[in-house]
Amino acid sequence: MFVICIQVTMILYEVLRLYPPSIHFSRKTCKKVLIGDKRYPAGMMIELSVLLMHHDPDIWGSDVHEFKPERFAEGISKASRNSGAFLPFGWGPRICIGQNFALAEAKMAICMILQRFDFVLAPSYTHAPYTVVTLHPMHGAQIRLGLI
Ligand code: HEM
C-alpha cells in the first residue's frame, strides 16, 4: 500500500510538472534589488515562467516532454538538475498553504476511483491545454469509465 501511495505521488508530481495549473508568477520589486548579476529598480514587474522551467531540457533532460513519473522516484530534489526547478505550488514566503491538502485530496480521489473503476481516455478527447487563470484542457477531459 505504501509503495502504491509513493507511485501515486510520483504520478501527481509529473502531472503538475507537465501541466502546472499556475503557469507563471508575477512579482513587483518594492525597492532596488540584485537578482543573480542583474540589478532591477523599484516598481519593476518580474514574471517567472513555471511552464518554461518545467519544460526546460537543460534542467530535466532530453525526455522533458515525456510523461515519466519515475523521474520523481527519489523525490523532488533528485528529479532534475536543479532542485529548485519544480514550482507547481510556488516557493518562498507565498508558497501555497494548501499544497498538502490538495495532494492528499487528489490521492484520496484517485484511490476511491481506482477501487471501483478502470478508465481510459474517450476517443473524443483532444489534447489542448490552455490557460484561463489556470491551465486546463480546452475541450474538457472525456474519459470512459468501466466498472471493475
Ligand atoms: C493542485 C492544487 C493547487 C495548486 C497547483 C496551487 C498553487 C498555488 C500557487 C502556485 C501559489 C503561489 C502563488 C504565488 O506565489 O503568486 C498558491 C498560493 C496559495 N494557495 Fe494554492 N494551489 C493549489 C491548491 C490550494 C488549496 C486546496 C488551497 C486551500 C485549501 C490553496 C490555498 C492557497 C493560498 C491561501 C495561497 C496564498 C498563500 C500566500 O500568498 O501566502 N491552494 N497556490
Side-chain angles (χ1 to χ4, degrees), residues 16 19-27 50 87-103 105-106 134:
L16 287 167
Y19 307 105
S22 297
I23 63 164
H24 65 94
F25 308 127
S26 306
R27 294 289 186 268
V50 177
L87 296 167
F89 294 104
W91 194 249
R94 311 314 298 225
I95 197 167
C96 178
I97 57 166
Q99 62 173 308
N100 290 333
F101 175 78
L103 288 171
E105 188 182 40
T134 56

Side-chain angles (χ1 to χ4, degrees), residues 19-36:
Y19 307 105
S22 297
I23 63 164
H24 65 94
F25 308 127
S26 306
R27 294 289 186 268
K28 190 175 178 181
T29 56
C30 58
K31 56 181 182 185
K32 275 195 258 175
V33 287
L34 178 68
I35 303 176

Side-chain angles (χ1 to χ4, degrees), residues 1 4-5 8-9 12 100-117 119:
M1 193 62 179
I4 293 172
C5 191
V8 173
T9 304
L12 289 174
N100 290 333
F101 175 78
L103 288 171
E105 188 182 40
K107 283 177 214 170
M108 279 171 61
I110 290 171
C111 290
M112 287 169 77
I113 292 169
L114 291 178
Q115 278 170 359
R116 295 167 182 79
F117 304 101
F119 59 89

Side-chain angles (χ1 to χ4, degrees), residues 11-140:
I11 289 167
L12 289 174
Y13 283 164
E14 184 66 340
V15 170
L16 287 167
R17 181 186 72 81
L18 286 168
Y19 307 105
S22 297
I23 63 164
H24 65 94
F25 308 127
S26 306
R27 294 289 186 268
K28 190 175 178 181
T29 56
C30 58
K31 56 181 182 185
K32 275 195 258 175
V33 287
L34 178 68
I35 303 176
D37 59 354
K38 303 240 177 336
R39 289 181 192 285
Y40 298 90
M44 282 275 289
M45 288 303 298
I46 297 178
E47 293 279 325
L48 172 66
S49 173
V50 177
L51 201 58
L52 288 182
M53 284 181 69
H54 284 189
H55 288 257
D56 185 342
D58 291 339
I59 295 174
W60 298 94
S62 55
D63 59 358
V64 65
H65 301 304
E66 289 172 35
F67 180 74
K68 289 178 81 174
E70 59 271 29
R71 69 176 90 240
F72 288 99
E74 291 177 58
I76 291 171
S77 59
K78 300 250 173 74
S80 72
R81 292 175 194 145
N82 180 340
S83 58
F86 182 64
L87 296 167
F89 294 104
W91 194 249
R94 311 314 298 225
I95 197 167
C96 178
I97 57 166
Q99 62 173 308
N100 290 333
F101 175 78
L103 288 171
E105 188 182 40
K107 283 177 214 170
M108 279 171 61
I110 290 171
C111 290
M112 287 169 77
I113 292 169
L114 291 178
Q115 278 170 359
R116 295 167 182 79
F117 304 101
D118 55 29
F119 59 89
V120 289
L121 277 175
S124 59
Y125 174 74
T126 308
H127 191 66
Y130 88 129
T131 310
V132 176
V133 185
T134 56
L135 188 66
H136 51 276
M138 182 184 278
H139 308 293

